Amino acid sequence: MKKKNYRSYQLALVGLLLLLQYSCAICSAKRTARGNVIPKKFKDWYVTKAEDLYPKDLIDTTAIYYTCHDPAIYDPPKCYFHRFFADGKLYSSTALDSDSLNNEVANNMVDGYTGYYLIKDGELIIKTYDYAYCGFYIIEWAKIFEDRIVIYKAGTSSSIEHDYYPNSSSAEEINRVYYKLDVGELYSQPDW
């Protein structure tokens, strides 16, 4: 009797190990040389091409857009930045000290979040890929101004649903402002 139970435990353990191995293979992330996770590609109708980004002057691809935590709440406050590229790609930094918003960091683009953006009818739609929990997209809707971007809605989507056109009706209303900052020449390009 004990031998039969032992065999059942062995089979259960082997099954669990196979399931674990299979799920890790599904969620394995491909990383670039800079350590950024490569986001899944969107269908052609969502991927923006440089020639499709009209009006081009809405997003300044020669600057970064940053936001910082409230210093009254966070000590020291952490800052984040978005860097937009003319081909519709986007790099989003991890938390940085406010002193780190400089040219070197903006050009290195190390260990951040990757994604894409689209400008449609003067509205900015950002999809940033986060690898946590096998991957999901953070989708943000924003209004573009000359010196800032105001994100007014945000939501998430599982990586399985990455091809659908995002719907803002189920997104959470927020108010996050990213200010434009010129940090000098931005010469590096996305490696994803």
Side-chain angles (χ1 to χ4, degrees):
M1 183 92 169
K2 285 186 177 183
K3 197 172 195 179
K4 192 173 184 182
N5 285 340
Y6 180 70
R7 179 83 172 143
S8 297
Y9 288 125
Q10 280 182 323
L11 288 173
L13 182 60
V14 168
L16 183 62
L17 290 174
L18 286 173
L19 181 63
L20 182 61
Q21 181 181 6
Y22 178 70
S23 61
C24 289
I26 291 173
C27 299
S28 62
K30 294 180 181 170
R31 293 188 177 269
T32 67
R34 293 186 189 125
N36 299 315
V37 174
I38 300 172
K40 293 173 177 57
K41 300 289 184 195
F42 296 128
K43 288 183 178 175
D44 289 340
W45 60 266
Y46 193 84
V47 175
T48 54
K49 299 176 181 74
E51 60 269 16
D52 295 335
L53 296 177
Y54 289 108
K56 292 183 184 296
D57 59 353
L58 284 179
I59 292 288
D60 188 348
T61 58
T62 65
I64 63 172
Y65 291 82
Y66 77 97
T67 189
C68 295
H69 290 140
D70 184 349
I73 300 171
Y74 296 95
D75 185 31
K78 294 295 181 185
C79 299
Y80 305 85
F81 73 86
H82 286 319
R83 183 170 166 205
F84 297 91
F85 297 88
D87 63 357
K89 292 180 181 176
L90 165 81
Y91 171 80
S92 185
S93 75
T94 54
L96 303 164
D97 295 327
S98 58
D99 298 336
S100 298
L101 295 172
N102 59 40
N103 181 270
E104 181 182 351
V105 171
N107 279 301
N108 283 344
M109 299 186 296
V110 176
D111 292 326
Y113 302 100
T114 55
Y116 299 94
Y117 71 97
L118 174 71
I119 300 172
K120 185 174 181 179
D121 300 326
E123 181 178 55
L124 175 65
I125 303 171
I126 299 170
K127 275 191 168 185
T128 309
Y129 185 69
D130 188 331
Y131 182 67
Y133 310 109
C134 286
F136 65 94
Y137 285 91
I138 300 167
I139 307 164
E140 299 172 312
W141 290 264
K143 295 291 181 191
I144 307 167
F145 299 93
E146 186 176 329
D147 61 343
R148 68 193 180 284
I149 295 170
V150 178
I151 297 175
Y152 64 91
K153 280 196 172 187
T156 60
S157 165
S158 73
S159 60
I160 297 168
E161 304 168 332
H162 68 275
D163 283 332
Y164 82 99
Y165 190 79
N167 182 349
S168 66
S169 63
S170 62
E172 177 185 345
E173 291 189 18
I174 63 171
N175 184 21
R176 189 178 318 124
V177 181
Y178 282 79
Y179 297 96
K180 186 164 79 169
L181 178 65
D182 183 359
V183 291
E185 182 186 3
L186 297 175
Y187 52 83
S188 63
Q189 292 300 309
D191 60 352
W192 60 91

